[in-house]
Amino acid sequence: MKLARSAVSLAAAALLSTGLAAVPAPAYAVTDAELALRWAPIHHQDTDSSDYDADYLTRINFDGEWTMNDNWEAQPASLSRLTGNAYYSVAETSTHWFLIYAFYHPRDWSETCSNLNCHENDLEGVLLTVRKNGTTYGKLEAAITVAHSDFYSYVPAGSSFVSGRETVDGTLLTETWSGAAHPSTFQEAKGHGLKRWDGAAPPGGDGVIYQPTSAAAGEVPASGNDRTVAYALTSIFTTGGLWSHRNDTATFASYGTFRGDNYKDNAANAPWRWDDGNDGSDLQAGIMATDPAYLVHQYFDGTGTFSLTYTRNPYGG
């Protein structure tokens, strides 16, 4: 016991010596899956009546394999395969968890497609910053979303985070689901750019609202205007999953860029390749996954006690 107490004291001293206060440990050590479920967004997906199901969420390997340049063709073949899903990952410092949620569509589409506005495969998402405050699941402090080649930043009510290098784009709303407040996200129809939900009805009045479930599989919307559809959570790092295929040439045309050959070739990216094109040369493609703490610390001021050193980052940070 004396040895354990000494180790704790040394760890606390190390934190204080770098300007960081020791974070009280929760009574229960939460798993990544539990943490991901707790903070998974209530996801508002706009749909377009010209092809509702092209806007449904699904798994990347919804057609039973990891070859990516046949997903455009496979998308309408069997709607029963378009079960709601989001991919997640968790990185961690002594002060925060950083959770990525990524939402996949087989098509980035338009009613009139060309190489300029359509492509096969589409994966966009959100990074949530959750402070370790001694409770089991922590406190949500900020979100950065991915909409095409731009990032957007948001803070929930009560957060100390304010604009830093980037201007905060709005308030992150929350909705209660299963007795807890979850952040609310919104994806546009067709192009699927992802931002915060602003509380408004979807454009045109039709859309799908996805809620997270701990079940192994999500649900298929009953229509393009279904307001209660479960989506499952799949770890990016599950055995045989997305990260396992990062060097698979049937899945990726280059590192982090999915293979696709409908309209614009190879135009969709995994989180370790997501990029904002104009937020600074030090914020390189993939930083949302590989160094989320640095990204958040640059995007926001008012972050308080904030460690930039990872206790773990599965992307190698």
Side-chain angles (χ1 to χ4, degrees):
M1 290 297 293
K2 289 182 179 179
L3 180 61
R5 287 173 183 165
S6 297
V8 170
S9 297
L10 288 171
L15 283 169
L16 292 171
S17 70
T18 57
L20 299 177
V23 178
Y28 170 75
V30 67
T31 67
D32 284 356
E34 291 168 333
L35 193 67
L37 180 63
R38 167 61 187 88
W39 292 113
I42 305 301
H43 193 66
H44 296 249
Q45 174 64 64
D46 188 24
T47 57
D48 189 272
S49 60
S50 64
D51 192 358
Y52 275 140
D53 55 81
D55 292 317
Y56 293 173
L57 300 178
T58 191
R59 294 168 293 112
I60 290 172
N61 60 333
F62 70 99
D63 55 354
E65 36 89 344
W66 289 90
T67 299
M68 298 297 285
N69 63 355
D70 61 3
N71 284 357
W72 182 284
E73 293 79 9
Q75 184 272 324
S78 177
L79 299 190
S80 65
R81 301 185 298 188
L82 303 181
T83 53
N85 190 79
Y87 293 88
Y88 74 88
S89 64
V90 181
E92 183 176 4
T93 68
S94 61
T95 60
H96 288 83
W97 289 292
F98 300 92
L99 294 93
I100 284 176
Y101 297 88
F103 300 91
Y104 175 75
H105 299 83
R107 297 181 176 187
D108 182 310
W109 66 284
S110 174
E111 292 171 68
T112 305
C113 274
S114 73
N115 290 345
L116 299 176
N117 66 344
C118 294
H119 57 81
E120 188 169 30
N121 304 310
D122 199 13
L123 189 71
E124 307 193 34
V126 60
L127 169 69
L128 300 182
T129 300
V130 176
R131 178 174 295 277
K132 297 177 179 179
N133 64 353
T135 64
T136 300
Y137 298 106
K139 177 186 177 184
L140 179 64
E141 293 194 314
I144 301 174
T145 71
V146 181
H148 313 302
S149 58
D150 290 296
F151 293 170
Y152 292 84
S153 55
Y154 305 98
V155 295
S159 173
S160 66
F161 284 29
V162 296
S163 298
R165 267 171 61 171
E166 296 288 319
T167 301
V168 170
D169 293 294
T171 300
L172 181 67
L173 302 181
T174 61
E175 297 173 85
T176 299
W177 180 254
S178 295
H182 289 251
S184 300
T185 49
F186 172 84
Q187 268 189 291
E188 64 185 0
K190 300 180 179 179
H192 307 135
L194 196 152
K195 299 181 181 180
R196 61 91 191 247
W197 179 56
D198 64 3
D206 49 3
V208 175
I209 303 178
Y210 288 94
Q211 296 87 13
T213 179
S214 60
E219 298 173 337
V220 180
S223 72
N225 195 32
D226 192 340
R227 303 310 172 93
T228 308
V229 182
Y231 75 87
L233 291 159
T234 301
S235 172
I236 288 173
F237 294 92
T238 194
T239 302
L242 182 57
W243 183 252
S244 299
H245 286 270
R246 66 192 181 280
N247 297 317
D248 184 344
T249 57
T251 307
F252 290 98
S254 59
Y255 190 70
T257 297
F258 291 111
R259 186 170 297 283
D261 59 8
N262 292 85
Y263 302 102
K264 185 177 181 180
D265 290 347
N266 311 327
N269 295 310
W272 56 95
R273 191 63 187 170
W274 284 344
D275 190 26
D276 182 298
N278 59 5
D279 60 358
S281 60
D282 58 322
L283 303 177
Q284 293 293 305
I287 194 170
M288 186 177 285
T290 60
D291 198 356
Y294 182 76
L295 176 69
V296 170
H297 202 245
Q298 293 301 308
Y299 265 50
F300 299 97
D301 284 339
T303 55
T305 302
F306 193 99
S307 175
L308 295 173
T309 302
Y310 297 98
T311 56
R312 62 188 177 103
N313 184 342
Y315 297 98

